[in-house]
Amino acid sequence: MCGIVGYVGTRPAARILVEGLARLEYRGYDSAGLAVAYRKALRTTKAVGRVDDLRAALGDEPSPGRVGIAHTRWATHGEPSERNAHPHTDASGRIAVVHNGIVENAEELRAKLIADGVVFASDTDTEVLPHLIAKAAGDDSRTLEEAVREALRVVEGTYGLVVLDARRPDELVVARNGSPIVLGLGDGEMFVASDVAALVRHTRQVVFLADGELATITATGYEGSRLGPPTTVDVDDDDYDLDGHPDFLSKEIHEQPAALRRVLAGRLDTRFATARLDGLRLDPRELRGIRRVTFLGCGSALYAGQMGAMFMEELARVPADAEQASEFRYRNPLVDPDTLYVAVSQSGETIDTLAAVEELQRKGGRVVGCVNVIGSAIARQCGAGMFLHAGPEVSVASTKAFSSMTTSFALLALLLGRVRDLSSAHGTRLVDGLRRLPDAVEHALAGEAEVAAVARRYAEARSMFYLGRVRGSAVAREGAQKLKEISYVHAEAYAAAELKHGPLALVDATMPCVVVVPDDELIAKNVSTIEQIKARGGPVIAVTNADLPDGLADAVLRVPRLEPELDPILLGIPLQMLAYHCAAALGRDIDKPRNLAKSVTVE
Ligand code: F6R
């Protein structure tokens, strides 16, 4: 949450900073601002709203200064307003700070600073930082890095921050504790950002700051006690283009066949009818020793984990569950040495999931990651796992990362199954099904026009139910989540059989019910659920790969048949498109739904 960018080099900084911010807008879009140092003074520009508003506020002649910092905000302390927009400065206007994270003892620090005569200009937790740094910098006998280090001694909480001192226009100081910071190495210029997305236009040579690191960067290099050598990131600037799509969500929904081909590349072993997941770093004996699998994640990553748990029990016959990472970390969890814990996260930065990993490791648990972003905190903390290779996911709502996660879990279940009792014939059928999955997703996506027509019919609904049994359960939960977050239509997912135990009272002609109907042994039960809804006048949208009786549902969204165990991955695709087209029909800001941000790095 919140995106930060910094630049020090030979070109005017302002435009570079704004371009970088635009790439980080998914991290927050309540306000944006930047500060550029020129002739030993700072020029600060801020705007409420989007990066485009900041661009407009900058006008045609931004400061020619060649060093600066910028920020796009997801508000935590204080309403979205110009006064609360970053960068924040000390009273003299010399030190400017952009910050991602939360200063947890801000109230206490603020009270002390006020007692010392400091006057605050915002309601934010961040503002204590420039005041503390200015105080520590004092008469300039310390370097800026020393002043920042000194100031941070009293700060509790999380931060990724960049500090600019008007008197030292040749350098920036960066620090990280819990929130991501990555340095980009240019030719005679250096960049800083929360995410490589803001850097790849300029360089693919990057250095990820580890937690607790602090560094000084200049146009020609970086200095920090524990910084490693640069690595080359496997992301292109083009990956952030819309590629003819109206928005990133549409692009990412349609990228799924290609994303799944990457997930599967090199991981299907036809000879032994199994999966190869070398990144787990578990040998067959260790795989056999696993007595339980627990997935940990938040939001869609949690729902992906729920599907993963189902795959694990069905294919590998290993008990499995999925836990909300946020609850797990605070519950004083019982950690079992024979359980394989899988931390699931697209961004690899979600604070609750990261904290759950740390808690597990502290108690001796064996935890692997299932992460999209290479170099992210969770990937580094786990040290082993499965990368998704889904490519950058820019839209706030997760789609291609979700289907890549669930496909990875099918691979994991296949692998665990094949070191146990899953037969070679069964394994071969699954390997074959997985191989056909990307084409089947392509086929499901081809039904978009019909899904859009259904969405237009129901988009005005006040609320919708999403119902599914066993293989349809996690699909329904994720479907409801997508609808809520991008269309703002209330949706609730239920196990289909639970409907009769209370929620059926809500069903009438104004409550569309989306029922997930896999073509499996429970089909008769799902048909009966649909009939019960119809008997109460509720409109039914069925999502299925079965041939349902004509007229049973008011609308049918079809996907091809694959293999029954893998069908849930496919059944989710129309629900992504349904949410997308409901949001489009309602004129929502599809890539940047209100109140949300993609990477949740604060609690
Ligand atoms: C939903 C969505 C969120 C994320 C959740 C976890 O579409 O995007 O629910 O799934 O915030 O994020 P990651 O996967 O980055 O840990």
Side-chain angles (χ1 to χ4, degrees):
M1 268 160 171
C2 298
I4 58 187
V5 190
Y7 174 79
V8 50
T10 50
R11 296 185 279 162
R15 296 260 176 253
I16 295 170
L17 294 171
V18 170
E19 277 167 22
L21 276 192
R23 285 284 167 78
L24 298 184
E25 238 186 338
Y26 71 87
R27 302 179 70 88
Y29 28 87
D30 290 333
S31 66
L34 60 77
V36 171
Y38 184 58
R39 296 198 172 136
K40 306 230 159 165
L42 296 183
R43 192 187 295 174
T44 305
T45 312
K46 299 180 180 186
V48 176
R50 304 288 164 95
V51 172
D52 273 344
D53 298 303
L54 177 65
R55 210 178 256 128
L58 270 177
D60 295 333
E61 285 191 39
S63 162
R66 284 151 212 278
V67 57
I69 59 177
H71 187 270
T72 177
R73 177 168 187 246
W74 187 84
T76 54
H77 289 59
E79 53 167 16
S81 63
E82 247 181 66
R83 86 188 223 104
N84 287 333
H86 297 217
H88 291 287
T89 54
D90 69 310
S92 71
R94 164 191 170 183
I95 303 281
V97 175
V98 287
H99 168 221
N100 169 18
I102 291 188
V103 179
E104 278 165 8
N105 60 340
E107 278 315 310
E108 179 195 325
L109 295 171
R110 196 179 175 96
K112 281 192 190 142
L113 287 161
I114 290 172
D116 287 348
V118 171
V119 177
F120 276 76
S122 78
D123 312 316
T124 65
D125 54 326
T126 300
E127 198 190 334
V128 297
L129 297 170
H131 294 302
L132 289 170
I133 296 166
K135 201 168 149 202
D139 57 3
D140 286 342
S141 55
R142 285 192 171 110
T143 64
L144 181 60
E145 185 175 321
E146 285 164 354
V148 173
R149 194 182 301 281
E150 173 68 21
L152 289 177
R153 262 190 242 289
V154 294
V155 171
E156 287 163 21
T158 54
Y159 49 79
L161 51 92
V162 193
V163 185
L164 170 62
D165 180 348
R167 292 193 204 159
R168 294 181 169 108
D170 300 326
E171 67 181 38
L172 294 170
V173 170
V174 296
R176 169 181 181 159
N177 183 35
S179 306
I181 290 278
V182 53
L183 310 182
L185 282 64
D187 187 7
E189 54 188 0
M190 286 281 288
F191 307 84
V192 189
S194 313
D195 180 341
V196 294
L199 308 177
V200 287
R201 177 169 297 178
H202 308 285
T203 177
R204 288 170 62 192
Q205 292 291 299
V206 304
V207 177
F208 294 97
L209 245 67
D211 256 351
E213 269 178 353
L214 200 130
T216 297
I217 67 166
T218 63
T220 52
Y222 56 92
E223 268 176 41
S225 53
R226 293 185 291 126
L227 286 178
T231 52
T232 307
V233 282
D234 184 22
V235 180
D236 277 326
D237 196 38
D238 298 353
D239 294 341
Y240 297 92
D241 289 344
L242 282 172
D243 220 3
H245 287 273
D247 41 61
F248 282 103
L249 191 56
S250 162
K251 181 185 177 206
E252 287 157 13
I253 287 173
H254 287 274
E255 276 175 347
Q256 289 179 107
L260 298 191
R261 283 185 191 108
R262 285 197 297 274
V263 173
L264 296 168
R267 288 172 167 170
L268 290 174
D269 180 337
T270 317
R271 183 163 167 232
F272 292 109
T274 185
R276 266 200 308 265
L277 293 168
D278 300 341
L280 293 176
R281 304 211 181 115
L282 295 171
D283 64 32
R285 188 183 292 262
E286 289 171 307
L287 288 170
R288 261 208 84 95
I290 293 166
R291 297 271 155 264
R292 178 173 207 94
V293 179
T294 295
F295 296 88
L296 294 149
C298 301
S300 294
L302 171 68
Y303 302 138
Q306 290 171 349
M307 200 184 287
M310 189 194 64
F311 290 153
M312 224 52 71
E313 296 203 340
E314 183 168 11
L315 301 178
R317 302 302 293 152
V318 174
D321 54 8
E323 294 244 20
Q324 289 170 355
S326 54
E327 290 288 304
F328 184 86
R329 64 180 289 198
Y330 287 124
R331 220 185 46 217
N332 191 17
L334 296 163
V335 172
D336 166 21
D338 296 329
T339 294
L340 178 68
Y341 295 91
V342 184
V344 191
S345 177
Q346 186 286 129
S347 63
E349 300 292 345
T350 299
I351 190 107
D352 287 321
T353 311
L354 177 61
V357 170
E358 288 166 345
E359 176 70 0
L360 272 165
Q361 291 176 333
R362 193 184 63 72
K363 290 187 167 181
R366 183 202 300 258
V367 53
V368 296
C370 178
V371 173
N372 194 31
V373 180
I374 294 169
S376 59
I378 294 171
R380 291 159 63 118
Q381 189 67 34
C382 292
M386 309 168 266
F387 278 115
L388 297 175
H389 303 297
E393 195 179 64
V394 176
S395 191
V396 164
S398 186
T399 51
K400 65 174 179 172
F402 179 84
S403 53
S404 300
M405 288 166 182
T406 53
T407 303
S408 306
F409 301 151
L411 287 168
L412 181 61
L414 174 61
L415 175 65
L416 286 191
R418 288 288 292 130
V419 294
R420 289 181 169 71
D421 301 329
L422 190 84
S423 71
S424 157
H426 195 166
T428 297
R429 183 165 65 71
L430 293 168
V431 166
D432 183 51
L434 284 164
R435 210 186 288 293
R436 287 185 284 117
L437 175 64
D439 287 347
V441 170
E442 212 156 281
H443 204 291
L445 289 170
E448 183 162 18
E450 289 96 77
V451 180
V454 172
R456 283 192 291 274
R457 244 159 81 197
Y458 295 106
E460 299 290 339
R462 204 175 15 94
S463 181
M464 296 197 200
F465 273 135
Y466 279 67
L467 307 163
R469 281 183 166 78
V470 189
R471 289 193 184 125
S473 279
V475 179
R477 286 195 200 105
E478 171 60 6
Q481 158 100 337
K482 286 285 93 77
L483 187 75
K484 280 185 273 208
E485 73 182 318
I486 59 172
S487 74
Y488 318 153
V489 174
H490 175 255
E492 209 175 335
Y494 261 95
E498 280 292 300
L499 197 65
K500 305 183 289 298
H501 298 286
L504 193 57
L506 289 169
V507 170
D508 63 14
T510 67
M511 175 73 99
C513 297
V514 177
V515 187
V516 183
V517 190
D519 192 4
D520 63 11
E521 56 279 10
L522 295 176
I523 188 159
K525 310 276 176 211
N526 284 318
V527 167
S528 147
T529 297
I530 293 177
E531 276 162 352
Q532 288 160 19
I533 296 165
K534 296 298 300 171
R536 274 88 191 165
V540 171
I541 304 167
V543 184
T544 189
N545 55 356
D547 299 317
L548 297 181
D550 280 348
L552 177 72
D554 298 86
V556 180
L557 309 179
R558 286 190 193 287
V559 300
R561 285 193 175 83
L562 190 60
E563 292 298 333
E565 302 91 332
L566 303 174
D567 286 343
I569 305 176
L570 216 44
L571 288 161
I573 304 293
L575 296 187
Q576 298 172 344
M577 296 191 287
L578 183 68
Y580 178 90
H581 286 287
C582 283
L586 294 167
R588 306 299 191 219
D589 188 343
I590 288 185
D591 282 339
K592 300 189 183 83
R594 69 183 179 204
N595 305 338
L596 300 180
K598 189 156 185 71
S599 179
V600 183
T601 54
V602 296
E603 282 190 63

